[in-house]
Amino acid sequence: GNSVTQMEGPVTLSEEAFLTINCTYTATGYPSLFWYVQYPGEGLQLLLKATKADDKGSNKGFEATYRKETTSFHLEKGSVQVSDSAVYFCALSENYGQNFVFGPGTRLSVLP
Amino acid sequence: NAGVTQTPKFQVLKTGQSMTLQCAQDMNHEYMSWYRQDPGMGLRLIHYSVGAGITDQGEVPNGYNVSRSTTEDFPLRLLSAAPSQTSVYFCASSHTQGVNTEAFFGQGTRLTVV
């Protein structure tokens, strides 16, 4: 079956540091890939997505590139802010945004 | 702009009790689903529906029932709560067509079964 693996953390960074959260996946088909973010006490919000190989998703300074050859979708940001502190989930879907398979989530804390 | 609304936000149940978690969306989305979130496991799909009158099982359906009598509502029923069902539950909805469709999540229901 399909699965998503990501570093669990927690990850603690200082403000303005570079962020990478690794995500790899296993899928039988050609899924779409997503990063969701969960702020404390809230539901999940879509951060970015990519629907085919070599696509780059980007939003709010975050980026991730769909790498089919390495089955990866690593999340990066060049300069994190305190407001980026949250839990980040990597996910895949074989029908564009339904029936997700999620990774375990990575808790990020950014210190001033 | 209500989006996806879940009620209640918090609930404590005794083992063996029943309850219904409510989920409503006002975006005319065909697809609705329920997930549970447990530490270290991410979110796992419980049940989903692609339209009124149509439901199907996800990865972890045991102990849960659903029905979809209207497009707007997708309640999740626990018939006899067990401590293993202690979790945070999220409802999500989206359109069923299109590459650019986006899933919207509710704010969650934190359920504790004692």
Side-chain angles (χ1 to χ4, degrees), chain A residues 40-60:
Chain A
E42 298 186 11
L44 278 70
Q45 301 174 26
L46 177 64
L47 182 59
L48 54 84
K49 69 178 183 182
T51 57
K52 61 183 187 299
D54 299 326
D55 268 2
K56 177 186 282 189
S58 61
N59 187 25
K60 300 180 182 179

Side-chain angles (χ1 to χ4, degrees), chain A:
Chain A
N2 296 346
S3 65
V4 174
T5 303
Q6 65 178 105
M7 51 193 292
E8 291 195 37
V11 174
T12 303
L13 296 174
S14 297
E15 204 165 25
E16 299 184 2
F18 184 85
L19 169 70
T20 299
I21 301 177
N22 290 338
C23 171
T24 57
Y25 68 91
T26 302
T28 52
Y30 299 95
S32 298
L33 301 175
F34 303 79
W35 278 100
Y36 276 85
V37 58
Q38 184 181 30
Y39 297 103
E42 298 186 11
L44 278 70
Q45 301 174 26
L46 177 64
L47 182 59
L48 54 84
K49 69 178 183 182
T51 57
K52 61 183 187 299
D54 299 326
D55 268 2
K56 177 186 282 189
S58 61
N59 187 25
K60 300 180 182 179
F62 291 90
E63 292 183 343
T65 301
Y66 191 140
R67 301 287 188 200
K68 187 166 178 287
E69 63 277 11
T70 55
T71 62
S72 65
F73 193 54
H74 305 321
L75 182 69
E76 296 183 336
K77 186 175 186 184
S79 176
V80 293
Q81 306 300 312
V82 172
S83 57
D84 293 327
S85 297
V87 180
Y88 292 81
F89 292 93
C90 185
L92 67 80
S93 168
E94 292 206 339
N95 41 11
Y96 298 123
Q98 302 163 28
N99 295 11
F100 291 98
V101 175
F102 284 91
T106 301
R107 182 175 299 278
L108 170 66
S109 296
V110 180
L111 305 177

